[in-house]
Amino acid sequence: MEKNKKIIGLCGSLRKGSYNAMLLNLAGSLIPEGIEFEIVAYDDVPVYNADHDLPEVEERPASVVKFRDALATADAFIIVSPEYNYSIPGGLKNAIDWASRGKDSPLMHKPVALMGATQGMWGTVRMQAAFLPVFTFLNMNPVLQPEVLIAQAQNKFDADGNLNDDKTISIIQKKIDNLISACKV
């Protein structure tokens, strides 16, 4: 009997009231029944230090072990993130650095859907481009189409965190459907 699929969500913004957290919650709600969805936090993961990630070190920091163990349960990932300084937010990149190390990396060879929301006009296009080398290094299978680049997010989400743009919701649904298809390959 085949196990149920599980998708892990990571949010690049730790800010309370983040449009990207709202987007990740929406994406999770669009995943069909029978597929588990979990958002994994990484706000307690320390700054990456290779001295604590060497084969002769007994164990990685406890928060890193917990984070990597959670990621290891995933069949696929949804990463939703803002764009900081034209790139990936430092906290998210740091967490991915911890998760990317070693032959036991829980990210290797997994499908991933990347999305982003911003109050600006570019819709996180540069952050998403910055992720491509990371996905290449990890031999991940990024779901490239359709692109989910939500610009002027302050006009598309209401005070309760609901996205009020049906066209964008249908694009997100297609991205989720494509991610689920990538899990079946």
Side-chain angles (χ1 to χ4, degrees), residues 10 20-21 34 41 57 64 97 124 130 134 142 145 161 164 167:
L10 297 172
N20 286 282
V57 175
V64 171
D97 287 344
T124 69
V134 175
Q145 296 294 327
N164 57 28
K167 183 177 179 183

Side-chain angles (χ1 to χ4, degrees), residues 1-7 33-36 73-75:
M1 187 165 117
E2 188 177 328
K3 79 171 186 90
N4 285 344
K5 299 290 184 199
K6 182 173 183 179
I7 298 173
E33 279 189 43
I35 298 175
E36 186 180 348
T73 66
D75 295 292

Side-chain angles (χ1 to χ4, degrees), residues 130-142:
F131 256 111
L132 293 177
V134 175
F135 295 154
T136 300
F137 175 80
L138 292 166
N139 202 19
M140 294 183 88
N141 178 18

Side-chain angles (χ1 to χ4, degrees), residues 41-87:
Y42 56 86
D43 55 334
D44 61 346
V45 171
V47 173
Y48 183 78
N49 181 340
D51 288 343
H52 301 287
D53 196 28
L54 298 168
E56 59 272 12
V57 175
E58 286 187 28
E59 191 170 296
R60 293 174 173 118
S63 60
V64 171
V65 172
K66 179 181 171 189
F67 178 66
R68 287 175 60 102
D69 287 350
L71 298 185
T73 66
D75 295 292
F77 296 95
I78 297 173
I79 299 174
V80 178
S81 180
E83 179 176 295
Y84 289 177
N85 299 320
Y86 292 171
S87 194

Side-chain angles (χ1 to χ4, degrees), residues 159-179:
D160 296 322
N162 300 306
L163 183 61
N164 57 28
D165 182 337
D166 290 338
K167 183 177 179 183
T168 302
I169 292 170
S170 71
I171 292 169
I172 296 165
Q173 182 67 66
K174 181 67 175 163
K175 183 93 162 187
I176 297 298
D177 293 345
N178 291 346
L179 177 65

